[in-house]
Amino acid sequence: MKQIFLILLFLIVSTTVFSQKIITTLVPPLVLNDSISHWEKKNKIGFSISEILFVNWNAGGVSSISGLMNMQFNRNYSNENTRWANELIMRYGLNKQDGTELRKTDDAFQFSSTFGYRKNEKSNWYHSAKFNFNTQFTDGYNYPNKDIAVSSPFAPAYSFLGVGAEYASDKKDRLFYFSPFTSKITIVGNQRLADGGSFGVAKAIYDADGNLIKHGKKVKSELGTLITAFYKKQIAKNINLENRLSLYSDYINKYGNVDVYYDLAIDLIVNQYVRTNIGVHLVYDDDIKAKEEVNGEQITVGPKMQLKQVLGVGMTYTF
């Protein structure tokens, strides 16, 4: 009986010790595997506001308040010779002045995705495929006229899809992309704007009496050359500079006539949350015709350089 008891005690102790060893050898690999990730993410949400108030101000002036919300989300994958960069940018701004209705100051939805593969880790050049999509959230107007919208969601919307070569610096602060074959699709989802030939689509056809024969097309397809560049630098302590440039020329229609999109952003960092932003946006697109008022009538003229400048102070949260 004593021998049986000793044998049972030995088995219990051996089993307990053995089970503890199994646990200690399995835990470290599980923790190590969970910590490995080739994804890098960055989220930035900011809100800036500016306000001016006049009360019995003899020199005159108009009280106003403006607000701008901007969001940027990045999801980047990197593993040896493979790179996949995704970026979503959204902006929306409003302004209110005494005696006028609420007006839109900024409106943008921009998504870009680039997948690249390089032959070896010593090279900074990637064989890449790039997709871009741009549109807006709400209707746009030529103020003070708010009766007829001159743009709306998906009117226009632009998509670019092509293949080429991209140079990416080790710090990813300099990017250069060249594609000899990029498809550009312009979408004008609003039939009224499409009938008017807005943003370069084929306009509607009418007879001599003004009766509609055929609606305007909502889609325009192009094939051409695309060049994009990105440059980021800290020009001084707490002052960051970003440049984004896009050049596109269609092979079929007026090749050599280049559409230009340029963004300059200067970020002045006060502390972790408070920042001042200065932005300049330049656009030249041969398909976008400017309008001028002559003798009380709107007349369509040729394309012109478009300029927008933004200055704001506000809160920014990065996570």
Side-chain angles (χ1 to χ4, degrees), residues 72-120:
Q72 181 177 342
F73 304 96
N74 297 88
R75 297 293 184 272
N76 300 323
Y77 175 86
S78 180
N79 184 13
E80 296 180 353
N81 298 327
T82 303
R83 177 176 177 269
W84 185 19
N86 301 276
E87 182 179 56
L88 175 62
I89 296 176
M90 294 180 286
R91 298 191 305 269
Y92 197 79
L94 294 171
N95 172 266
K96 181 67 174 71
Q97 294 184 357
D98 278 349
T100 63
E101 71 282 354
L102 196 65
R103 297 182 177 184
K104 183 172 67 173
T105 58
D106 201 354
D107 188 358
F109 178 94
Q110 304 170 346
F111 174 75
S112 65
S113 180
T114 305
F115 181 84
Y117 176 81
R118 61 184 178 182
K119 293 182 178 180
N120 56 74

Side-chain angles (χ1 to χ4, degrees), residues 83-85 112-118 123-130 163-169 172 174-179 228-230:
R83 177 176 177 269
W84 185 19
S112 65
S113 180
T114 305
F115 181 84
Y117 176 81
R118 61 184 178 182
S123 175
N124 291 108
W125 285 95
Y126 293 79
H127 303 286
S128 298
K130 181 183 286 289
V163 293
E166 182 178 51
Y167 173 86
S169 63
K172 304 300 184 290
R174 287 174 293 166
L175 301 174
F176 175 81
Y177 173 79
F178 172 77
S179 169
T228 65
F230 171 80

Side-chain angles (χ1 to χ4, degrees), residues 140-155:
Y141 301 91
N142 277 331
Y143 297 108
N145 184 355
K146 279 204 65 178
D147 297 327
I148 301 177
V150 297
S151 64
S152 60
F154 287 88

Side-chain angles (χ1 to χ4, degrees), residues 150-221:
V150 297
S151 64
S152 60
F154 287 88
Y158 301 100
S159 72
F160 295 84
L161 178 62
V163 293
E166 182 178 51
Y167 173 86
S169 63
D170 295 333
K171 296 181 179 179
K172 304 300 184 290
D173 57 349
R174 287 174 293 166
L175 301 174
F176 175 81
Y177 173 79
F178 172 77
S179 169
F181 300 105
T182 293
S183 168
K184 176 185 177 182
I185 298 178
T186 303
I187 302 171
V188 181
N190 185 305
Q191 189 63 66
R192 178 182 57 80
L193 294 175
D195 288 343
S198 299
F199 309 105
V201 298
K203 63 174 60 178
I205 300 176
Y206 300 88
D207 61 18
D209 297 326
N211 299 313
L212 178 67
I213 298 176
K214 184 180 180 180
H215 279 295
K217 293 185 177 181
K218 292 185 177 182
V219 177
K220 178 182 178 181
S221 299

